[in-house]
Amino acid sequence: MNPLFHRASRKPVLALAALATGMVMTASAFAADWGKIVVDVDKPGARIHPLFYGLMTEEINHSYDGGLYGELIQNRIFRNTRGSRGPAAQLADGTPVEGVPHWHLVTSSGAAGAAVPDTADPVNTTALTTSLKLTISDVPAGGRVGVANTGYWGIPAKPDTTYQCSFYAKASDGFSGSLTVDIESSDGKTVHASATVPAITDKWQRYNVTLKTGQLTPSAGNRFVISAASKGTVHLNLVSLFPPVFKERIGAALGGRPTTGFRPDIMRLLDDMHPAFLRFPGGNYVEGSDFANRYDFKITIGPWEERPGHQSPWGYRSSDGMGLLEFLEWCEELKMEPVLAVYAGLNLDNGRDVKTGEALKPLIQDALDEIQYITGDVNTEWGARRARDGHPAPFKLTYVEIGNEDFLNRGAATYRGPEGRFAVFYNAIKAKYPDIQVIATVDPGEGVRPDVIDNHHYMPPAVAIRNAHLYDNADRNGPKIIEGEWASQETRGPGGGPRPLTPTFQCALSDAAFLTGLERNADIVIMSCYAPLFARVEPGGSQWRTNLIGYNGLVSYGSPPYYVQKMFYNARGDQVIPISSIVPQRIPAPATEPAPAAPAPGRRGGRGGGPPPNPNEPIFACASKEDASGDIILKVVNVFDVDQTVTVELVGAKDFKGATGQVMVGHPDDTNTVDEPFRTVPKDFVIHQASSSWIHTFPDHSITVIRFKTK
Ligand code: AHR
């Protein structure tokens, strides 16, 4: 139990009884002792931006490769020479192919052969420069020689499922046999699905087969094998295996991509949130560890044959199967608007190679080309390119961010001022696209005023709670704010070790308190998105602790903070309804009461903890009104371990037609995992006798969202 959220308490018996029976207490019943929340329904405030709640994403923690992007083969073009972090897969009947991580030579029944990377006679010289040369030197009857890919912590096999497989192959040294393609258990003893390519030629050619499983128990730790049973040499490249995806995209209209799409279970989790925008591709991923590995959209588009991939700053190679168009297709499938971050000359190298002056010009042109790729019609150069890549229709784009965290890596000096990196990108973008709203990653100072500033806050829970007031006194005349990366992060895990990969309910409470502050300040905060979004949970799968959604090869789950966001996102409202007063029910104070603390200053909120939340402020709340339904929405967070029974006064509200709500209650250490994905989730409830002055008990450690029906 985290003491920050715990108070020696005397629970109000009546309130608990009322909650247990579902009884609604009227204001007249016990008004004297309870707290009060006054919601000024008759004084509607600022409009809430339609893009208020969104997602932030980058290639970190195997977000795409081994995550959202459907591809199951790791290292499909053999250019990843370092492998992923974490223990390498071992195969009892296989030998790792030297220099080609995630691939193994497998043989059976005394067969002999070899597998090595080969750069002679490549498929092309842009991306498919290294092939895998498989030599079959001896195959007794019933034997085989092949190469096995262990995927991302195994190849998941599910029952009655069709997998799309494609690869390049060519034969030499007299090879004239067939190739067999299998999904099989990691020991090769059970074949889950199999297909045959009857013959291959001596010229590079792409082959497509489908693999279909029958009845089986889902399993994650399988392997994919291409093998031969006759002598000779086979070269392979661009080996791909796609399972069914959220929205099937297969065929000629894909501009040379044989198949593409996103993992359905993860997409469903996101879809359930109804996010309005996607901030991408970073994060540090847009900057890259060095110039060569920055996010260069031009190497991520087009047919797979033209995508070499690049090294992600998070320690593994990105295939760039998830390229710019795939990010946009992801937006399209979930009805999100892209919020694009463009590379702005700074890498994660402490400013060693920062680009300024003339050196920025081609990079500015790249940014303009990228915007045109997204928004241009088919008569523009890059709009035509997008059409050729399989998507003639342009995408809507309103917000473009220049760089990422330019206050780090000694980036601020070159970012700021009238000739700074921000200003030159801003001026070039506004000259060509005057309607685009340009986001700065830090105050660019004199000379140019950004439309929006991107603030990042990674905060211990206590700081997140205090930061519910972060924007209460902010300058109303300054640029608008996107909270482009934020999260509460435990300082340590429940057992005292490192904090978990996905957060506990403690963070759900503090996240929810923080979000009430963002919503209340929707006149200046126009967008918000948590980071990071995803974590691959197997050892070596993640580089960052505290991520919203976790998964292995088979199961994905939302952390308790995911459910907070789902609750808030689905009850955003269109206009702030001010809350003029929150008077908590009196609760006993601890022996030594910590002094109330001011909101943490600065953009990152401080990673070092800080004083606990103010015990005199156990409840946080915000309210809004939804145009279409007319619903009044009230969100209340009780961060302490004492129930709060309060009179809720909805001043100026007309009669209600009832109210419905969701409440999530838990112990601060509660969490969800791949084994228990739904341990901590919200529950629905109905209030039959809601009125403009009524009493409700907000349970200890709870997050509540109530919709009052006015129509
Ligand atoms: O979200 C993880 C990292 O935190 C992002 O890549 C970076 O922008 C921030 O420092």
Side-chain angles (χ1 to χ4, degrees):
M1 159 77 68
N2 186 318
L4 297 178
F5 293 78
H6 175 72
R7 298 178 47 79
S9 69
R10 168 180 51 81
K11 299 203 178 201
V13 177
L14 276 173
L16 277 180
L19 187 75
T21 59
M23 181 179 107
V24 176
M25 295 180 288
T26 61
S28 57
F30 322 105
D33 292 312
W34 308 137
K36 188 188 262 194
I37 298 177
V38 180
V39 185
D40 291 334
V41 179
D42 54 350
K43 292 184 190 138
R47 300 292 299 172
I48 300 173
H49 198 290
L51 300 189
F52 194 79
Y53 285 126
L55 305 176
M56 186 274 161
T57 183
E58 65 177 312
E59 181 58 282
I60 181 175
N61 304 331
H62 287 274
S63 288
Y64 319 133
D65 287 353
L68 187 76
Y69 179 58
E71 180 64 77
L72 296 178
I73 302 296
Q74 182 158 203
N75 204 5
R76 69 183 178 188
I77 63 170
F78 316 120
R79 288 186 61 165
N80 175 357
T81 52
R82 292 196 222 161
S84 293
R85 293 176 179 184
Q90 306 289 330
L91 299 180
D93 60 341
T95 323
V97 179
E98 205 169 316
V100 193
H102 312 292
W103 287 93
H104 300 247
L105 175 73
V106 287
T107 56
S108 67
S109 305
V116 291
D118 189 8
T119 52
D121 187 26
V123 178
N124 65 34
T125 53
T126 44
L128 306 188
T129 51
T130 303
S131 60
L132 194 57
K133 179 180 175 189
L134 175 65
T135 308
I136 306 106
S137 39
D138 189 17
V139 196
R144 67 173 183 173
V145 176
V147 280
N149 187 268
T150 47
Y152 296 94
W153 295 270
I155 302 277
K158 295 184 182 170
D160 300 316
T161 302
T162 302
Y163 298 78
Q164 309 293 333
C165 173
S166 63
F167 58 88
Y168 278 79
K170 77 179 167 90
S172 56
D173 297 335
F175 182 84
S176 61
S178 59
L179 292 179
T180 302
V181 181
D182 294 320
I183 299 172
E184 57 188 42
S185 56
S186 60
D187 59 7
K189 290 187 178 149
T190 308
V191 176
H192 299 307
S194 189
T196 304
V197 175
I200 59 172
T201 72
D202 60 359
K203 302 267 173 327
W204 278 119
Q205 198 179 313
R206 185 156 80 194
Y207 298 89
N208 299 296
V209 289
T210 56
L211 294 168
K212 190 157 179 4
T213 58
Q215 298 250 307
L216 53 82
T217 306
S219 56
N222 305 294
R223 66 191 193 185
F224 166 90
V225 177
I226 302 184
S227 62
S230 50
K231 290 206 272 187
T233 299
V234 175
H235 280 80
L236 299 167
N237 210 330
L238 191 48
V239 183
S240 168
L241 182 69
F242 254 76
V245 290
F246 183 69
K247 183 175 170 212
E248 199 86 334
R249 294 178 193 253
I250 294 176
L254 289 180
R257 298 169 295 164
T259 179
T260 189
F262 313 112
R263 191 171 141 173
D265 56 329
I266 301 177
M267 285 294 270
R268 280 194 289 272
L269 280 170
L270 301 178
D271 200 22
D272 287 348
M273 296 170 82
H274 296 107
F277 71 88
L278 182 70
R279 173 176 175 252
F280 71 89
N284 290 159
Y285 190 56
V286 78
E287 300 160 272
S289 328
D290 53 31
F291 184 72
N293 290 298
R294 71 195 184 282
Y295 189 81
D296 173 6
F297 91 95
K298 289 176 181 167
I299 64 161
T300 75
I301 55 174
W304 293 350
E305 288 84 343
E306 291 169 20
R307 302 190 197 187
H310 73 285
Q311 191 68 23
S312 138
W314 295 104
Y316 54 94
R317 192 174 173 88
S318 172
S319 73
D320 286 331
M322 186 79 186
L324 177 59
L325 185 53
E326 284 77 11
F327 280 112
L328 298 168
E329 288 171 339
W330 177 9
C331 290
E332 187 170 56
E333 291 182 18
L334 295 187
K335 302 186 180 59
M336 302 182 287
E337 187 171 320
V339 171
L340 176 74
V342 295
Y343 174 73
L346 182 69
N347 314 118
L348 303 168
D349 60 359
N350 206 21
R352 270 193 294 282
D353 192 22
V354 65
K355 305 286 187 235
T356 56
E358 282 297 302
L360 271 184
K361 288 194 173 150
L363 303 174
I364 293 170
Q365 190 56 49
D366 282 349
L368 295 173
D369 293 346
E370 192 168 5
I371 295 170
Q372 193 179 72
Y373 185 89
I374 297 170
T375 63
D377 68 33
V378 295
N379 300 312
T380 62
E381 180 188 353
W382 287 95
R385 178 62 205 266
R386 184 196 62 242
R388 211 165 75 222
D389 292 344
H391 202 289
F395 297 87
K396 184 176 180 202
L397 179 71
T398 313
Y399 293 94
V400 172
E401 179 159 2
I402 310 305
N404 178 66
E405 296 190 339
D406 291 83
F407 52 92
L408 295 176
N409 285 290
R410 297 200 290 181
T414 52
Y415 195 74
R416 306 182 81 216
E419 308 296 325
R421 289 183 293 116
F422 177 78
V424 292
F425 273 85
Y426 177 97
N427 292 332
I429 291 172
K430 286 283 184 184
K432 191 142 187 222
Y433 300 98
D435 293 336
I436 282 194
Q437 300 291 292
V438 182
I439 304 173
T441 68
V442 64
D443 179 357
E446 290 293 301
V448 60
R449 179 190 154 110
D451 299 303
V452 184
I453 294 219
D454 178 6
N455 281 348
H456 294 180
H457 288 94
Y458 293 102
M459 311 162 276
V463 175
I465 291 173
R466 297 200 328 265
N467 277 349
H469 296 294
L470 185 65
Y471 293 108
D472 290 356
N473 300 311
D475 175 10
R476 266 39 204 177
N477 300 312
K480 301 291 184 198
I481 302 290
I482 171 174
E483 271 287 326
E485 293 181 26
W486 70 268
S488 355
Q489 304 172 321
E490 295 103 332
T491 43
R492 63 187 69 84
R499 60 175 180 253
L501 282 175
T502 56
T504 57
F505 186 68
Q506 173 180 217
C507 289
L509 287 167
S510 51
D511 283 0
F514 181 68
L515 283 178
T516 63
L518 299 188
E519 263 198 40
R520 280 189 294 98
N521 288 286
D523 58 324
I524 53 167
V525 179
I526 60 167
M527 292 187 275
S528 62
C529 46
Y530 183 101
L533 183 58
F534 296 139
R536 181 91 197 194
V537 298
E538 291 95 335
S542 287
Q543 301 80 45
W544 185 278
R545 288 185 177 270
T546 309
N547 309 284
L548 197 64
I549 290 172
Y551 45 78
N552 59 19
L554 284 179
V555 179
S556 57
Y557 68 94
S559 62
Y562 160 84
Y563 287 100
V564 165
Q565 290 181 42
K566 187 174 159 189
M567 288 166 79
F568 276 53
Y569 284 34
N570 283 296
R572 186 197 75 216
D574 298 296
Q575 190 160 19
V576 172
I577 301 289
I579 294 186
S580 55
S581 135
I582 302 178
V583 179
Q585 176 189 308
R586 252 185 323 110
I587 54 175
T592 47
E593 186 160 311
R603 31 185 312 113
R604 298 182 71 85
R607 288 182 194 260
N614 181 352
N616 296 320
E617 193 174 18
I619 337 178
F620 293 81
C622 63
S624 59
K625 181 170 182 184
E626 193 173 76
D627 292 344
S629 63
D631 291 355
I632 307 292
I633 299 164
L634 176 65
K635 303 182 177 97
V636 179
V637 186
N638 178 0
V639 298
F640 280 99
D641 73 337
V642 180
D643 292 350
Q644 279 285 333
T645 298
V646 300
T647 306
V648 178
E649 278 192 19
L650 297 147
V651 180
K654 302 204 192 81
D655 284 346
F656 296 117
K657 309 271 182 292
T660 56
Q662 282 200 310
V663 63
M664 184 154 65
V665 185
H667 182 282
D669 289 348
D670 285 349
T671 196
N672 296 331
T673 60
V674 285
D675 297 323
E676 279 189 291
F678 304 111
R679 185 155 182 246
T680 312
V681 296
K683 294 189 174 48
D684 295 341
F685 64 91
V686 178
I687 301 168
H688 296 290
Q689 294 155 280
S691 73
S692 55
S693 181
W694 57 293
I695 288 182
H696 188 82
T697 296
F698 295 96
D700 69 278
H701 293 147
S702 69
I703 300 136
T704 306
V705 175
I706 302 174
R707 274 177 179 270
F708 300 92
K709 296 264 156 224
T710 62
K711 289 186 188 166

